Amino acid sequence: MRIEVNMNISTYTVKPKLPASLRPLEEIARNLWLSWNFEAVQLFIRLDYDVWLQSQQSPIRTLGMISQERLAEVAKDDSYLAALKEVYESFLRYKKGDTWYRGTKREVVAYFSMEYGIDVSLPIYSGGLGMLSGDHMKTSSDMGLPLVGIGLLYRQGYFKQVLNADGFQQESYPENDWYNMPVELKTGKNGASVKITVDLAGRQIAAQVWEVKVGRSSLYLLDTNIEENPQDFRNITSALYGGDKETRIQQEILLGIGGIRALRALGIVPAVAHMNEGHAAFLSLERIRELMLEKGFNFNEAREAIWPTNIFTTHTPVPAGNERFDINLMEKYFQNWTEILGISWNDFLSLGRERPYDDREQFCMTVLALKLAAYANGVSALHGVVSREMWKGLWPGLPLDEVPIDHVTNGVHPKTWVSNNMKDLLIRYFGPHFEDEPTDLAIWDRMDRISDEELWRTHERRRERLVAFARDRIRQTLKRNGAVERRLQQAEDALSPYVLTLAFARRFATYKRGNLLLRDPERLIRLLKDNERPIQLIFAGKAHPMDMPGKELIRSIVHFAEQHDVESRIIFLENYDMAMAHYLTAGADVWLNTPRRPLEASGTSGMKAAMNGVLNCSVLDGWWDEAYNPNVGWAIGRGEEYADTNLQDEVESKALYDLLEREIIPLFYQRGRDGLPREWIKRMKHCMREIGQSMSSHRMLMDYSNKFYFPAFKNYRKLVKDGYMDARSLAAYFDKLKSSWDQLNIVKIDSNAKPVMQRGDSLTVTAYIGLGALVPSELQVELYHGSVSSQTRDIEHARVAEMKALSQEGNTYLYQVKIECADTGWQGHTVRILPKHPSLIHPYRTGFVKWA
């Protein structure tokens, strides 16, 4: 029988007592700069390797677990102290050194994401979105960008995956011990923790703020697990992507609205807000509310003030994957916001609807973000195309290629993901410039300086370590499931450090098709058991706890290996995380990716592998669609898209087998007298050079800066300088447009076009337009011209030329433009009208385009 006793417990924090000579260790341990500097990690491994493993690779927990006797011993070790001094000086140089960004630090980008994958010691990530956010933070630190991250501090993070004896995924949710992790509770001048409050359906929730230091940058995390909150509120930050829809809306209110308030409480007023996926879209409402309160603005004025400084990145290539909430749930949490914002309930709901006043439509976070951000982007070139197609309804009447959704292809942080052995090799041949100037991507052109022998030996060491790691993981799984000694001995023979190794590691969702290679068992087994040129497969990845088809995919792989007696050649490693990802992306020979095009927005694991010289074999989807060429890997298919998924699986599985049998396996095993696969190594070098340059996160951040951050900073400065008069002017302008737009009338169009024109001829087009209450300076009248499709009769590859108002007759204006006939073939033109205002970032606003 359990007896409950109410106890009044006093709490305090105990820190390790470090000798004076070792005190820099704590500062290093509390800054995740060490996550991409292995020399720093080695300092903690050297203290006690067994303790390091028991701590789950947490530097702070390691310091707490090391005995005082061992610390005293190390404090007198000249070798260790010399290594500590060197690392600490490197850390200080990094923090104070010159950076790519040389502008003011007073203007800050606030970067919001639901998850961050920075280091295995901070488990607040689930997969690709978190990895990207973590690399974004690290890269902003490298480049000196004035960027802060905002997220949530999950008490349990994402689940731990275990496979039972039948190969079925089960989940566990261990509690995180934040006082032994690289986070620090933020306190005010009075010593009390910094807290904010947010209204949740009439109840006040409190959250305290923690800081994670990431090199020069800071990540702030909100935590509701505090005494003043009732238990249901304390559970809001219990798990990443856990709970039901109500928990999700609570988390997203906390992230967006609470995140802005947390920055305010810390004295940070962001000039620019960057929403990484739609989870944080509620932040726009809070930014609007702040300005209404501070400046006395109405909703439309405040909206125009924050719109030019909001950036939104979408990661989801299918409509169903975008977060939507039922109207009843929205009403419960946001009905009072109509009074705060001074707008009707229907107008509020229209902010999150594609069809603004369709009462049957749910509230979509992606739509809210797109409507309240001047800048939006997909995460690869193909995803940009897919996103424009998916959301074109928000800009009715606008040609698809003008829908204002750009793209910035994802990238990965090289110093994090290039293995330590490979990094040492690169630094030896590239020079210190590789570390000191990470934005100089031309440094990768030095790949040819590296000898084939050294590159291959380095890669072979990584494969050996991957095999050793895999065997250890298999042994742990078998022990936990009660395997007999004979079965445990078999784990020692799992995989071979000398065999062509293919890795498939990612979230186990059905569209990623983790079992595509299992469709023809006889063909696969023949490849696995080939005595001269065998292959081996390593699978890893988690299915969402509610995704039963994903779990069945995992089990089918485990069963396949058992049924066909190839357990030493096909293995599934449980609990895929950052630590495992490092082994896989560095030690495999081929990185396999088989999504159904175009359902992979970008993907980044293949980039990490490629920077380690691992060759990709992938469907032309996401980033691979733009990065692929025959020198860097293999393409499954040619970018076809299928309506029949069974046919697609059949065709692409056969294409994959053909690539393996005819190209990949022969190339890997084609050896000279020296035992080196020279042609394979040649591709490795091409791959590392090209992907190192094009898919570096430093390229990605330079793209974000030049396309979005710097223009948004400029917009912010302009707004602040004139006391936000531009925003008021723009709001008044759109009020006038709304009342006058229907009065616009393109009366007629004349031109001097003849049935047949010669290239170089001048074409003069005249339009007669009734402006109603508007004047020419308030409108952009354009000639829209180009080649006409014989099938659709639409203008393709259009060009625009601005038309000038030449004269006026009553309320009708004569507009004219002269162009040169530059292209041959069937040509056409028409006239359109768009908004025109000096404060517009772009003229493409919902509902404001009129065609002849």
Side-chain angles (χ1 to χ4, degrees), residues 73-84:
E73 179 184 334
V74 173
K76 298 174 184 176
D77 184 334
D78 290 347
S79 171
Y80 187 90
L81 293 178
L84 173 57

Side-chain angles (χ1 to χ4, degrees), residues 196-206 228-230 233 261 336:
I196 55 98
T197 59
V198 176
D199 178 90
L200 288 182
R203 301 164 65 197
Q204 293 295 309
I205 179 177
E228 52 258 59
N229 285 331
F233 280 179
R261 293 182 184 179
N336 64 322

Side-chain angles (χ1 to χ4, degrees), residues 159 161-163 167-171 541-545 551 554:
F159 69 90
Q161 178 197 52
V162 294
L163 301 186
F168 191 76
Q169 172 182 296
Q170 297 175 318
E171 300 88 26
K542 298 176 179 178
H544 187 278
K551 291 184 178 183
I554 294 172

Side-chain angles (χ1 to χ4, degrees), residues 732-744 771-774 848:
Y733 168 70
F734 276 112
D735 285 343
K736 183 178 180 181
L737 275 193
K738 287 173 188 175
S739 62
S740 308
W741 195 254
D742 289 340
Q743 300 168 24
L744 285 175
L771 300 190
L774 299 168
F848 294 114

Side-chain angles (χ1 to χ4, degrees), residues 132-371:
L132 176 74
S133 303
D135 283 3
H136 203 105
M137 292 297 304
K138 294 173 184 179
T139 311
S140 71
S141 168
D142 287 346
M143 295 169 62
L145 287 170
L147 181 145
V148 298
I150 300 92
L152 303 181
L153 189 76
Y154 303 102
R155 197 172 74 242
Q156 297 170 335
Y158 203 50
F159 69 90
K160 298 275 188 184
Q161 178 197 52
V162 294
L163 301 186
N164 65 17
D166 189 42
F168 191 76
Q169 172 182 296
Q170 297 175 318
E171 300 88 26
S172 64
Y173 295 86
E175 297 279 324
N176 287 320
D177 175 11
W178 298 120
Y179 292 92
N180 275 313
M181 289 187 175
V183 295
E184 184 176 346
L185 193 62
K186 293 300 290 181
T187 56
K189 292 178 181 177
N190 59 358
S193 59
V194 173
K195 291 178 183 174
I196 55 98
T197 59
V198 176
D199 178 90
L200 288 182
R203 301 164 65 197
Q204 293 295 309
I205 179 177
Q208 61 188 5
V209 183
W210 299 74
E211 180 182 14
V212 180
K213 290 184 172 65
V214 188
R216 301 179 178 96
S217 302
S218 288
L219 167 63
Y220 298 105
L221 302 172
L222 278 68
D223 169 24
T224 64
N225 186 30
I226 51 180
E227 291 181 0
E228 52 258 59
N229 285 331
Q231 190 59 50
D232 60 331
F233 280 179
R234 295 182 72 161
N235 288 338
I236 288 175
T237 54
S238 65
L240 171 61
Y241 304 137
D244 56 13
K245 275 288 186 181
E246 187 148 17
T247 302
R248 290 295 292 273
I249 199 171
Q250 290 173 342
Q251 287 184 336
E252 293 179 16
I253 289 169
L254 180 64
L255 176 65
I257 296 172
I260 292 291
R261 293 182 184 179
L263 292 175
R264 284 282 188 179
L266 294 166
I268 299 169
V269 181
V272 174
H274 183 174
M275 297 167 270
N276 189 41
E277 194 52 286
H279 307 124
F282 290 137
L283 70 82
S284 295
L285 303 179
E286 177 63 9
R287 296 190 80 198
I288 288 171
R289 185 196 69 82
E290 283 185 340
L291 274 174
M292 291 177 69
L293 191 65
E294 291 173 13
K295 305 294 182 183
F297 286 177
N298 63 33
F299 173 80
N300 288 334
E301 291 167 340
R303 175 180 179 166
E304 297 303 335
I306 66 106
W307 181 77
T309 62
N310 270 355
I311 299 157
F312 169 57
T313 298
T314 175
H315 293 260
T316 312
V318 289
N322 291 270
E323 190 83 77
R324 286 178 167 85
F325 294 116
D326 287 336
I327 299 307
N328 289 339
L329 203 55
M330 289 300 299
E331 189 171 13
K332 177 177 179 180
Y333 286 95
F334 284 97
Q335 182 71 59
N336 64 322
W337 275 78
T338 59
E339 186 177 340
I340 293 170
L341 300 177
I343 59 176
S344 71
W345 180 236
N346 280 339
D347 284 344
F348 181 89
L349 290 179
S350 73
L351 295 171
R353 283 173 165 168
E354 294 179 73
R355 301 174 299 280
Y357 300 105
D358 181 351
D359 290 338
R360 296 167 298 177
E361 187 178 345
Q362 294 181 310
F363 190 94
C364 178
M365 297 296 282
T366 302
V367 173
L368 176 65
L370 286 168
K371 286 187 175 182

Side-chain angles (χ1 to χ4, degrees), residues 10 41 121 125 331 374 504 551 577 697 707 713 748 751 839:
S10 299
V41 173
S121 66
Y125 61 89
E331 189 171 13
F504 180 99
K551 291 184 178 183
D577 62 4
S697 57
K707 284 187 173 185
F713 279 151
K748 69 172 182 175
S751 77
S839 298

